[in-house]
């Protein structure tokens, strides 16, 4: 079909970006900075973080194929020749670094240009030094975003049926998608996950699907089943016009982890997760579902006529970024239209999968990803959900609820969730008194006390299903699982024993009943389906914003049903993970909500094949359903929980539906590069030149001006103005009028406030947000902006294009640091105020450095802290009293690599600098008085011992010294800007000094601007 991805095993990141509107940018993407606490080597401007696995991804500066070749043409002879040329450069840089050709595992060409290799850190550093290489990244392990943990976890989702899901999100009614012929016909959905169970009835070919396009098999099988030599249950299967392809992408995983005897060394699913997500997004219509023999009705995928290609990029132990990046690269080569990615890792704008998805978006691929299952805490969004070019999906409840109950003999009946069978009347036992733990941890229950009984188990410590496995091991006949709070969710997993899952208060009632009855008994009843009146409400596990890597971009983008979602399963799961033999499961997590959104994207792709990925995303976001509760099931969810709201496709022809939104916010590839200039400029080989070229071409280079369907301003002192551009996708001329619900404490003005657009026309508008004096600094406030147009029509309605707004105020905006030169001199900088009241600027210092010298050797295990610390670790005692700011620096040119760590009085590391090479700096702001320890760590010392000098500046909290504030505003007014002028004298030529200007309101210091002067 399209050009194959010759496989690479690393965690790739993007190649050089040749842009039609800007022209070639010099040297592509540079290296991402090292992860905190990870030692690295520096190769000029390129930092190479050491891989813990020995697998690295090498990203070339030259563009991948989709940067210059339309994705539809990736199977042409010209594309093949260009791809071969890219492969040749990969071999060349390996040879130049003295690395054997067989060290390479995969080659990326389509959405990435690069390769992965099993090499040493020194070889990775050598590769990074090659001028043809943009960056070298370590491989990392990722996990599916299905939460099976003991607390707020992503368990199983259930449903009356997925037709009930279709009812809930608006697909089945008159005028809605399915009854309007929008079922995903002709759309290909790629599912990157744990594989697929190909014989599942959700993937059956009834003979009416379009002919499957041919898939390239040059490098790997396009229908990879039948490895019976590894697992006898891996039957051969021929892909069809429904499941048109299935590829195993586990090259790195096989190398480091291997495939256990119970895993399938093919594209076959041994976890159930991939089968579930694929059948949710695009499973066949009207498939009979049953669990434990219980008839659950018929289910349908969201896009039941879409065709599927499955990419197995995760094994039982997770998935390496290299394999995942290869799957994205291959999916683009295979010509998929939509990708579902129910996979998560740490937030990282420059991650391999993140950059691969950037080029996939350029190729026109719509992508839905899981927001993460780390909620409900703030700033818990994972990666790649944090980047703006994918759609990050949160998880909410839906109205259908699978109910179970425990009827206490002579006591109340307590309801919860269940999809298991029930029990007869049996004795009850509290796990607290039936073993060594009330958590029902593995091996803790006493069979003599549990056999034949229903066991009460508390959440926590291990997975929900694992608890039922322990009950089964001990001979138990049933389980009551209770939460530790009353605001958690109730799950309907495929438990090993009959189970009902209840909240904390009901669980404690059962606990009290058992304690207070001599012969406590109960009966588990299941089989009832009820309506959850509080739906939709956010699940407790769904990750929340603000976005940890780009706080001006509101995340998640949207939410969708993600608990009790009934869909497919593998009948041969890894032993102990869940009962075998079940083709269906009802599991939960943002893993389950993401494919709902991917399925809707398939419907949009069928309806609007001309839309860009950004336009489709805008259509979903601006038409979302906003009446969503938070996880307390009472209060309105905000944009950091639900994004723009719950996915709400609506009636196809009706104005304001996702299919007919009226206006869209389109975002180009170059716009995303401009965003990176603000949020991650280090990825470019020459950030200044690249970003200057973008700016000269009219591309915004600040994150707040990214043409996004939501509006976020993470640092507002006084006022700020952002720009957005809308494009009409209406079929007639429409006049638009804006309305605003301003965040509390802020005024919002939009100019122009009216627009009239012909079909296909675009217009820009500006949004000015001003603190009225009551916007609390440091606190997020939210509101919304809505464009309304198209008049009121009884049947077709009117357009309402809504964007959430989130604003965080600052007390003032001032530079973090200013510099100067000369034994005497002057400088000035501006401050902008976010409050009205008293203001004073005071000078502290300047102070010279106090130097500490020493000799350091190589730490044999290159690890700090570790049990053998001694050689290679120098500890410098530090006592701090009355400090406003403290800085330590260490700089030694050459091949040596030293790191700095700062410990508090308890020995806890509170700050560190682990850059590549030896160019280290630690800053401590207004530290508490006390004793500290600075550690110099010899990570890489080729010639031992190495002499070093640590420079230390302690800027006093008490004002005074050679730095003087000559003039400054005497009071603050919200939105006003003033200039602070400073001067200094009496310095020693050639010495470096540090001081500060403190910014104060009536309560004390509210900010600090450092002053760095070289005499």
């Amino acid at each position: 079909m399209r050009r194959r991805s010759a496989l690479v095993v690393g965690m790739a990141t993007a190649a050089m970006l040749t842009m039609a509107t800007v022209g070639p940018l010099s040297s592509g993407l540079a290296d991402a900075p090292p992860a905190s606490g990870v030692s690295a080597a520096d190769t000029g401007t390129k930092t190479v973080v050491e891989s813990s696995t020995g697998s690295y991804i090498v990203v070339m500066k030259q563009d991948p194929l989709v940067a210059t070749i339309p994705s539809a043409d990736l199977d042409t002879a010209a594309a093949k020749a260009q791809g071969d040329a890219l492969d040749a450069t990969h071999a060349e840089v390996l040879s130049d670094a003295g690395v054997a050709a067989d060290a390479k595992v995969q080659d990326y060409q389509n959405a990435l240009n690069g390769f992965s290799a099993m090499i040493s850190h020194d070889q990775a550093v050598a590769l990074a030094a090659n001028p043809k290489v943009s960056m070298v990244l370590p491989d990392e392990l990722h996990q599916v975003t299905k939460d099976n943990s003991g607390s707020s976890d992503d368990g199983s989702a259930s449903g009356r049926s997925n037709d009930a899901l279709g009812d809930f999100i608006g697909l089945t009614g008159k005028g809605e998608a399915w009854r309007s012929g929008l079922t995903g016909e002709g759309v290909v959905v790629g599912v990157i996950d744990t594989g697929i169970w190909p014989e599942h009835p959700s993937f059956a070919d009834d003979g009416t699907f379009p002919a499957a396009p041919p898939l390239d098999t040059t490098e790997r099988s396009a229908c990879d089943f039948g490895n019976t030599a590894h697992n006898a249950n891996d039957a051969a299967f021929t892909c069809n016009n429904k499941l048109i392809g299935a590829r195993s992408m586990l090259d790195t995983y096989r190398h480091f982890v291997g495939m256990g005897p119970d895993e399938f060394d093919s594209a076959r699913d041994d976890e159930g997760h991939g089968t579930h997500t694929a059948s949710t997004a695009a499973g066949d219509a009207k498939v009979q579902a049953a669990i434990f023999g219980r008839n659950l009705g018929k289910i349908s995928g969201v896009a039941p006529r879409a065709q599927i290609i499955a990419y197995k990029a995760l094994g039982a132990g997770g998935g390496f970024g290299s394999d995942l990046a290869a799957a994205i690269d291959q999916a683009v080569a295979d010509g998929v239209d939509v990708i579902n990615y129910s996979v998560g890792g740490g937030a990282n704008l420059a991650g391999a999968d993140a950059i691969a998805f950037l080029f996939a978006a350029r190729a026109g691929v719509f992508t839905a990803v899981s927001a993460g299952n780390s909620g409900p805490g703030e700033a818990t969004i994972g990666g790649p959900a944090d980047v703006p070019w994918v759609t990050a999906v949160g998880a909410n409840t839906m109205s259908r609820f699978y109910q179970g109950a425990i009827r206490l003999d002579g006591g109340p009946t307590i309801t919860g969730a269940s999809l298991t069978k029930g029990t007869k009347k049996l004795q009850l036992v509290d796990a607290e008194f039936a073993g060594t733990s009330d958590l029902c941890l593995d091996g803790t229950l006493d069979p003599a006390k549990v056999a034949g009984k229903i066991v009460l188990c508390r959440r926590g410590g291990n997975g929900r299903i694992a608890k039922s496995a322990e009950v089964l091991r001990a001979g138990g006949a049933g389980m009551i699982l209770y939460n530790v709070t009353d605001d958690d969710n109730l799950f309907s997993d495929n438990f090993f024993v009959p189970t009902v899952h209840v909240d904390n208060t009901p669980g404690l009632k059962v606990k009290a009943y058992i304690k207070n009855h001599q012969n406590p008994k109960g009966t588990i009843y299941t089989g009832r389906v009820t309506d959850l009146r509080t739906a939709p409400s956010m699940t407790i596990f769904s990750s929340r914003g603000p976005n940890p890597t780009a706080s001006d971009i509101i995340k998640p983008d949207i939410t969708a049903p993600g608990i009790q979602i009934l869909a497919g399963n593998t009948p041969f799961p890894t032993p102990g993970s869940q009962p075998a033999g079940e083709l269906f499961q009802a599991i939960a997590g943002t893993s389950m909500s993401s494919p709902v959104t991917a399925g809707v994207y398939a419907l949009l792709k069928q309806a609007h094949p001309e839309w860009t990925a950004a336009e489709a995303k805008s259509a979903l976001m601006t038409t979302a359903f906003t009446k969503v509760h938070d996880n307390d099931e009472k209060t309105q969810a905000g944009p950091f929980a639900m994004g723009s709201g719950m996915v709400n496709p609506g009636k196809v022809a009706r104005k304001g539906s996702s299919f007919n939104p009226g206006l869209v916010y389109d975002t180009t590839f170059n716009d995303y590069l401009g965003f990176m200039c603000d949020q991650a400029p280090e990825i470019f080989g020459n950030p200044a030149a690249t970003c200057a070229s973008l700016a000269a071409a009219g591309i915004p280079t600040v994150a707040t001006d990214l043409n996004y369907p939501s509006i976020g301003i993470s640092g507002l002192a006084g006022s700020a103005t952002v720009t957005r551009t809308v494009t009409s996708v209406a079929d007639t001329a429409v006049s638009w009028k804006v309305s605003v619900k301003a965040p509390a404490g802020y005024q919002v003005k939009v100019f122009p406030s009216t627009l009239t657009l012909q079909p296909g026309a675009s217009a820009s508008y500006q949004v000015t947000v001003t603190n009225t004096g009551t916007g609390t600094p440091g606190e997020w406030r939210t509101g919304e902006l809505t464009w309304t147009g198209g008049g009121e029509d009884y049947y077709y309605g009117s357009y309402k294009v809504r964007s959430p707004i989130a604003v965080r105020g600052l007390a003032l905006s001032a530079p973090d640091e200013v510099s100067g030169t000369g034994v005497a001199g002057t400088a000035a900088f501006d401050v902008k105020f976010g409050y009205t009241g008293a203001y004073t600027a005071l000078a502290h210092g300047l102070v010279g450095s106090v130097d500490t010298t020493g000799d350091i050797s190589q730490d044999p295990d290159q690890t700090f802290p570790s049990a053998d610390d001694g050689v290679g670790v120098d500890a410098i005692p530090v006592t701090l009293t009355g400090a406003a700011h403290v800085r330590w620096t260490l700089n030694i040119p050459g091949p040596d690599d030293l790191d700095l760590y700062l410990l508090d009085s308890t020995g806890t590391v509170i700050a560190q600098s682990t850059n590549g090479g030896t160019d280290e700096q630690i800053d401590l702001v207004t530290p508490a008085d006390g004793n500290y320890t600075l550690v110099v760590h010899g990570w890489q010392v080729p010639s031992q011992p190495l002499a070093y000098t640590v420079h230390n500046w302690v800027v006093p909290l008490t004002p005074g010294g050679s730095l003087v504030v000559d003039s400054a505003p005497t009071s603050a007014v919200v939105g006003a800007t003033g200039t602070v002028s400073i001067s200094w004298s009496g310095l020693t030529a050639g010495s470096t000094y540090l001081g500060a200007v403190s910014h104060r309101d009536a309560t004390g210091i509210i900010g600090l601007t450092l002053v760095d002067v070289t005499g």
Side-chain angles (χ1 to χ4, degrees), residues 601-635:
Y601 269 151
L603 306 180
L604 288 180
K605 189 73 173 183
Q606 180 187 358
H608 296 285
E610 77 284 0
W611 278 1
T612 67
E615 288 174 326
K617 176 177 181 175
S618 172
L620 279 192
M621 290 176 63
T622 59
T623 62
F625 180 77
T626 60
K627 294 181 180 179
V628 180
H629 295 114
D630 214 330
N631 62 279
D632 63 2
E633 301 183 343
K634 298 176 183 178
T635 59

Side-chain angles (χ1 to χ4, degrees), residues 510-852:
V510 175
K511 190 177 185 72
Y513 170 85
I514 294 173
K515 179 180 179 180
N516 296 325
H517 285 73
Q518 218 170 26
N519 188 25
K521 292 184 178 181
T523 307
I524 292 177
Y525 290 93
T526 62
R528 187 179 180 191
V529 180
T530 62
D531 289 328
L532 192 63
R533 296 181 179 179
T534 57
S537 61
M538 297 306 300
T539 61
I540 194 170
F541 57 76
S542 187
S543 289
R544 266 65 166 181
N547 190 340
T549 57
S551 53
D552 293 312
I553 305 299
I554 298 174
K555 290 285 183 168
D557 294 303
I558 204 163
T559 187
I563 187 168
Q564 295 201 351
I565 307 300
L566 179 62
N569 193 13
T570 175
F572 286 95
T574 303
S577 63
Q578 59 171 304
E582 300 299 327
L583 279 174
F584 296 90
Q585 57 181 332
I587 55 176
T590 55
S591 275
M592 283 63 250
S593 56
S594 179
V596 172
T597 304
V600 174
Y601 269 151
L603 306 180
L604 288 180
K605 189 73 173 183
Q606 180 187 358
H608 296 285
E610 77 284 0
W611 278 1
T612 67
E615 288 174 326
K617 176 177 181 175
S618 172
L620 279 192
M621 290 176 63
T622 59
T623 62
F625 180 77
T626 60
K627 294 181 180 179
V628 180
H629 295 114
D630 214 330
N631 62 279
D632 63 2
E633 301 183 343
K634 298 176 183 178
T635 59
Q636 171 66 38
F640 293 137
M642 70 172 187
S644 294
M646 187 182 77
V647 61
N648 178 35
K651 294 182 182 294
V652 173
R654 188 173 178 84
K655 295 174 183 177
S657 74
S658 297
F659 301 100
N660 187 18
L663 295 175
V664 292
Y665 295 83
D666 195 13
T667 312
T668 69
F669 180 76
N670 292 351
D671 292 331
Y672 292 131
L673 299 185
F675 159 83
M676 295 296 269
C677 285
D678 189 3
Q679 295 298 303
E682 68 277 3
I683 71 166
F684 298 111
N686 188 335
T690 297
C691 297
S693 296
L694 288 163
I699 304 299
T701 55
V702 293
T704 51
D705 278 341
L706 182 67
N707 200 43
Y708 214 64
S710 57
I711 298 171
I713 305 175
S714 63
L716 178 69
S719 65
T721 298
V722 302
T723 301
R724 293 291 187 271
T725 299
V726 289
T727 299
S728 174
V729 291
D731 55 8
T732 61
V734 177
S735 294
W736 299 88
K737 183 177 181 180
V738 76
S739 61
V740 174
K741 293 181 181 179
Y746 295 87
Q747 179 187 70
V748 178
K749 291 186 176 180
V750 180
F751 180 80
S753 60
T754 60
L755 299 170
T756 299
L757 293 176
Q758 297 291 330
S762 298
S764 297
Y765 65 92
Q766 292 185 318
V767 182
T768 300
V769 183
T770 303
N771 190 335
T772 62
T774 57
T776 305
E779 182 178 300
W780 284 96
R781 302 283 179 86
T782 61
E784 62 184 55
L785 176 155
T786 304
W787 287 99
T788 302
E792 290 291 342
D793 183 279
Y794 176 76
Y795 181 78
Y796 290 105
S798 62
Y799 297 112
K800 294 185 187 301
V801 182
R802 176 187 174 274
S803 295
I805 301 172
V807 179
R808 180 173 58 186
L810 296 178
L812 84 164
S813 175
D816 294 329
E817 188 164 344
V818 296
S819 299
T821 59
V823 296
T826 63
F829 59 88
D830 289 339
V831 294
K832 186 175 183 181
F833 297 107
Y835 72 101
T836 297
Y839 172 76
T840 306
L842 298 177
H844 305 249
L846 299 164
V847 297
S849 69
V850 175
D851 297 343
T852 301

Side-chain angles (χ1 to χ4, degrees), residues 117-186:
M118 306 295 184
I119 54 179
S120 69
H121 184 247
D122 288 344
Q123 290 174 318
V125 171
L127 284 166
N130 192 304
K132 294 181 180 180
V133 171
S134 173
M135 65 185 81
V136 179
L137 301 174
D139 213 345
E140 295 178 353
L141 194 64
H142 299 249
Q143 300 292 338
V144 296
T145 45
K146 185 189 82 168
D147 180 3
N148 287 324
S149 66
S151 54
S152 292
D153 45 9
D154 159 25
S156 291
S158 52
R160 181 172 307 169
S161 70
N162 271 11
D163 284 358
L165 172 62
D167 290 342
F168 187 65
I169 65 172
L171 298 176
T172 62
K174 182 179 180 181
E176 294 177 345
W178 291 353
R179 292 174 67 177
S180 300
L182 294 178
T183 56
E185 184 84 20

